[in-house]
Amino acid sequence: MTTPAPIATVLLARPVPQAYDYLAGDADLAVGQVVRAPFGNSQALGVVTGFRDRPENPDVRLKAITEALTTPAVPNRTLDFVRWLAWYNQHPEGAVLKMALRGAEPAKRPRKTPIPEPNPDHPGRTLNPSQHSAAASLGQALDDHMFSTWLLDGVTGSGKTETYFAAIAHLLRRDPTAQVLVLTPEIALSGDVGARFADRFAAEPPLWHADIAEGRRKQIWQAVARNQARCVIGARSALFLPFQNLRLIIVDEEHDSSYKQEEGLTYHARDMAVARAHIEQAVCVLASATPSLESQWNAAASKYGHLRLGERAGGAQKPDLQLVDMRATPPDNGTFLAPPLRQAIAETLAKGEQSLLFLNRRGYAPLTLCRTCGHRLTAPGGENYLVEHKHTGRLVCHLTGFSMRKPKACPECGEETLVSVGPGVERIAEEAQETFPDARVEILSSDLSDTPKVVAARLKAMEAGEIDILVATQMAAKGHNFPNLTLVGVVDADLGLRGADLRAAERTFQVVNQVAGRAGRAEKPGRALIQTYDPDNTTMQTVIRQDREAFVRAELNERQALGLPPFGRLVAVVVSGKTLGQVEAAAETLARTAPQAAGFDLYGPAEPVHGRIRGVWRRRLLLRADLGKDVQGYLKAWRQSYRLPRSVTVQFDVDPQSFF
Ligand SMILES: [Zn+2]
């Protein structure tokens, strides 16, 4: 094989907008070949995207490609996906390619043990009729060999995983080269799904996420590119792997907000999974017990197939849900568990069953306040309150990771009168332990100090019945199976509703519903007590009735009236910099230069919830567009119409999930 033309275009894995010309030299090159090429004063990894006989710009003296790596080529469709994602989210193509090349360099020491082949004929669980019919629909879609998206919609415990495993088994049997990607919203859950996969298919699947060791990362990348890994389970970055024959993408817990990458290279992994499936002409399955409003809307509009799993697997019953009115039955001073919830925990302990107390707030207390002068402890250069972590004795900023030892005295007035205000999971665990001294109380939290290993061990202990009361953040709302768990207490259901966020109600509905769904998954009936100061709130009422249809109707009506997603599109624009005056002036410039066009509205500039992070000032604008408008075209025109000082950064976030 010889290189077809003297000049190769190479897209570098650097924040560059397009491919550059290089002399091909003596190397045998093909489109997709991973190469190293000079870039400025250094060397950069890149991919050959094409060839030409003459340089694009004859005045530039071209440099030669340094070397062609002995690594498999990146498939065309993977490159198409990289370009599409860059265009949609308005990122430089090279920055997106960088994601796709993580693990592309050949391993120094290649691993001897290959990635084991999953066995589709290893016996799985028998499916109930509704699971069987959903799996059959997916099987048919896979046989059709065309792009389609399906919402796999079933209450917690209805057997969504078994159902999509059946579809995977069908595909692996039919097509000896087919590859499957299962996305999960976080690492702990990848491990959980991975273990169930290993049981079902008698083979440990490769797990892909930010924390895997470099050698393993390279091994997985190469195996995927050589079609020697048939199924990968991973977090959102697994979307960029160089699959040869990707036929099926599963997005587990598709409603989960952690699918949205919010910093740097912003993208929504669920939506990008649908896009990748489209490019690959593959089948995409979005699975959830509480699907996002967008997905429910797409299913209702017949854009997505809708598969409902009716019954709970194994005959388990729905939990009994009750609101605890915190005004009528308040907790004792300085405590956070109201009498009805304490009573329920006592009863559960007496039966030898497990309780889960849910609070979506890490640490011990969200605020440290001086009783003498009223000073509130914040991170330097920010306005964010520091969260107390008692087991480490530190105050932590959850936004930036800044931490310091908790001082004895107030840094403002010097008095030793600092008090912890409000509860985090650590404080709830302390209260539970004081109230029930003989109970085994543990915390499950995506804490800075908790490694995935610790989290996995704690989940295992809970499953094995070695914990009586588990106090947990949102992590516990996801997928895990605890057969002896029969009581769920939601410590503060109002927390989500206080967020400055258009999805606050949706998120509260999802979290409460999912956490409550943890109770009574096996044969034992479960109950959930939900503490709220606002029991008449629409969201609370629909949660209690488990009336998703009513909730969705109310929420969609509201969004339609405002032209918000899914009835319109949003783009958040964040301007940031070290000097407040410059940031404000830049935000004004952006507002002034935004193109005037029918169907587009611009709001702001406004001060976001976090107006200053790590000493950097921030201002936000919000663009709203009618459906069917060319949002990317609008953004492109806008970006060419202003000039800003280099000290100011502008970030566009297409389809933002939150507005902090
Ligand atoms: Zn003070």
Side-chain angles (χ1 to χ4, degrees):
M1 203 173 75
T2 50
T3 302
I7 294 165
T9 53
V10 175
L11 179 62
L12 299 175
R14 292 291 173 94
V16 294
Q18 83 236 9
Y20 300 130
D21 287 353
Y22 284 91
L23 296 171
D26 299 333
D28 269 342
L29 298 174
V31 169
Q33 173 76 53
V34 183
V35 296
R36 210 182 301 280
F39 179 62
N41 294 325
S42 65
Q43 293 284 318
L45 220 54
V47 166
V48 175
T49 57
F51 296 95
R52 24 172 157 243
D53 290 317
R54 260 176 285 276
E56 195 180 28
N57 181 352
D59 300 332
V60 175
R61 223 186 104 235
L62 295 184
K63 292 178 177 169
I65 287 172
T66 312
E67 66 168 321
L69 271 59
T70 59
T71 207
V74 177
N76 269 329
R77 285 189 299 261
T78 305
L79 291 176
D80 288 345
F81 174 66
V82 164
R83 289 192 199 101
W84 188 89
L85 188 142
W87 166 79
Y88 185 88
N89 296 287
Q90 298 284 297
H91 300 308
E93 285 185 359
V96 181
L97 179 70
K98 194 173 175 196
M99 303 283 293
L101 290 188
R102 287 196 65 192
E105 288 177 79
K108 294 207 179 61
R109 260 183 306 133
R111 301 206 176 194
K112 290 207 178 71
T113 33
I115 286 167
E117 178 97 355
N119 175 9
D121 297 318
H122 189 73
R125 268 188 229 167
T126 312
L127 301 183
N128 69 26
S130 91
Q131 293 163 351
H132 185 82
S133 129
S137 298
L138 293 177
Q140 184 60 54
L142 288 162
D143 291 348
D144 288 346
H145 230 264
M146 271 160 48
F147 165 65
S148 60
T149 306
W150 300 79
L151 178 59
L152 180 58
D153 175 357
V155 297
T156 312
S158 60
K160 291 184 290 295
T161 312
E162 284 305 321
T163 303
Y164 70 66
F165 278 177
I168 293 173
H170 174 90
L171 176 67
L172 295 181
R173 268 186 225 116
R174 287 294 180 93
D175 181 347
T177 66
Q179 291 175 297
V180 180
L181 169 62
V182 180
L183 290 179
T184 66
E186 59 175 64
I187 302 171
L189 197 55
S190 295
D192 209 62
V193 173
R196 293 180 68 179
F197 185 96
D199 273 355
R200 172 63 182 81
F201 295 100
E204 207 71 55
L207 302 182
W208 179 274
H209 51 74
D211 294 343
I212 47 175
E214 205 49 39
R216 177 69 173 160
R217 178 181 303 285
K218 287 174 177 170
Q219 186 199 17
I220 296 174
W221 195 96
Q222 311 275 330
V224 168
R226 294 201 161 91
N227 205 341
Q228 291 161 350
R230 303 208 60 196
C231 185
V232 176
I233 297 175
R236 58 188 176 220
S237 58
L239 260 182
F240 298 90
L241 281 167
F243 290 99
Q244 283 288 340
N245 186 22
L246 183 58
R247 303 305 322 142
L248 173 62
I249 305 177
I250 313 279
V251 183
D252 206 350
E253 312 274 347
E254 67 90 24
H255 62 276
D256 196 291
S257 56
S258 39
Y259 277 123
K260 178 72 198 229
Q261 167 73 38
E262 306 223 87
E263 278 186 48
L265 204 76
T266 55
Y267 63 93
H268 198 304
R270 177 200 58 219
D271 300 347
M272 295 306 112
V274 174
R276 174 131 201 201
H278 185 255
I279 288 169
E280 306 276 350
Q281 288 296 296
V283 171
C284 187
V285 177
L286 310 178
S288 176
T290 52
S292 62
L293 282 181
E294 279 85 351
S295 294
Q296 294 191 57
W297 176 248
N298 281 326
S302 302
K303 280 195 199 166
Y304 297 172
H306 199 169
L307 304 169
R308 294 170 202 263
L309 300 180
E311 315 127 59
R312 287 190 133 206
Q317 303 153 11
K318 276 192 173 185
D320 164 29
L321 296 172
Q322 295 164 34
L323 291 180
V324 175
D325 185 343
M326 298 290 274
R327 298 165 309 184
T329 53
D332 293 342
N333 246 349
T335 70
F336 303 93
L337 304 175
L341 182 51
R342 287 183 173 220
Q343 175 68 25
I345 298 171
E347 289 163 10
T348 307
L349 280 171
K351 281 189 284 185
E353 294 170 358
Q354 291 171 304
S355 303
L356 169 72
L357 299 179
F358 169 77
L359 178 66
N360 208 13
R361 208 146 56 181
R362 292 176 287 160
Y364 182 78
L367 170 65
T368 303
L369 176 92
C370 173
R371 238 177 12 216
T372 308
C373 73
H375 179 65
R376 292 153 183 244
L377 274 78
T378 59
E383 293 147 346
N384 212 32
Y385 295 148
L386 291 172
V387 177
E388 179 180 356
H389 286 246
K390 209 169 192 179
H391 74 287
T392 55
R394 298 186 79 81
L395 301 177
V396 180
C397 173
H398 284 169
L399 204 59
T400 62
F402 166 85
S403 84
M404 60 186 260
R405 281 210 74 76
K406 187 186 177 187
K408 267 206 157 57
C410 170
E412 277 299 298
C413 70
E415 296 293 325
E416 292 192 9
T417 48
L418 291 176
V419 286
S420 311
V421 181
V425 281
E426 289 180 22
R427 197 167 194 179
I428 296 300
E430 185 181 274
E431 182 179 334
Q433 191 68 78
E434 278 166 12
T435 317
F436 307 103
D438 298 331
R440 295 164 297 175
V441 180
E442 290 286 355
I443 297 170
L444 182 69
S445 160
S446 57
D447 208 303
L448 301 167
S449 59
D450 275 1
T451 61
K453 234 182 190 160
V454 173
V455 170
R458 212 149 287 170
L459 288 169
K460 224 172 184 158
M462 183 68 182
E463 212 169 305
E466 291 157 12
I467 295 171
D468 298 314
I469 302 172
L470 184 67
V471 184
T473 61
Q474 188 158 353
M475 292 179 83
K478 295 172 189 171
H480 314 296
N481 202 354
F482 307 128
N484 201 34
L485 173 68
T486 58
L487 172 69
V488 168
V490 178
V491 176
D492 185 355
D494 306 328
L495 193 58
L497 290 173
R498 289 196 289 263
D501 183 343
L502 93 109
R503 289 165 212 275
E506 184 184 358
R507 231 170 257 163
T508 301
F509 184 89
Q510 286 165 349
V511 164
V512 171
N513 227 313
Q514 289 237 313
V515 172
R518 297 287 103 211
R521 284 192 77 174
E523 282 72 35
K524 294 172 186 161
R527 59 176 164 160
L529 271 64
I530 300 159
Q531 299 196 137
T532 175
Y533 284 94
D534 191 10
D536 301 326
N537 180 291
T538 313
T539 305
M540 288 304 148
Q541 286 299 323
T542 52
V543 166
I544 277 299
R545 296 202 307 270
Q546 294 207 295
D547 188 348
R548 196 174 87 192
E549 308 287 321
F551 171 76
V552 168
R553 251 194 328 269
E555 189 70 11
L556 283 177
N557 277 340
E558 205 158 301
R559 291 200 192 173
Q560 187 160 28
L562 300 169
L564 293 173
F567 304 98
R569 303 269 310 277
L570 293 176
V571 180
V573 185
V574 175
V575 188
S576 56
K578 292 237 156 105
T579 316
L580 178 61
Q582 280 186 355
V583 170
E584 284 180 333
E588 290 297 341
T589 302
L590 277 167
R592 212 176 42 243
T593 54
Q596 297 292 320
F600 289 90
D601 305 308
L602 187 70
Y603 306 100
E607 192 176 338
V609 177
H610 300 299
R612 198 174 177 215
I613 303 174
R614 292 188 193 101
V616 173
W617 295 95
R618 305 163 83 238
R619 288 295 179 265
R620 184 183 58 74
L621 298 100
L622 192 63
L623 178 71
R624 195 207 65 81
D626 289 347
L627 287 185
K629 293 286 170 189
D630 177 9
V631 174
Q632 280 72 21
Y634 181 99
L635 294 177
K636 200 174 167 197
W638 191 6
R639 295 170 75 162
Q640 285 164 355
S641 69
Y642 59 77
R643 279 201 153 271
L644 298 175
R646 286 177 141 257
S647 54
V648 171
T649 307
V650 181
Q651 194 186 30
F652 291 85
D653 182 356
V654 179
D655 304 335
Q657 292 294 297
S658 63
F659 306 116
F660 57 77

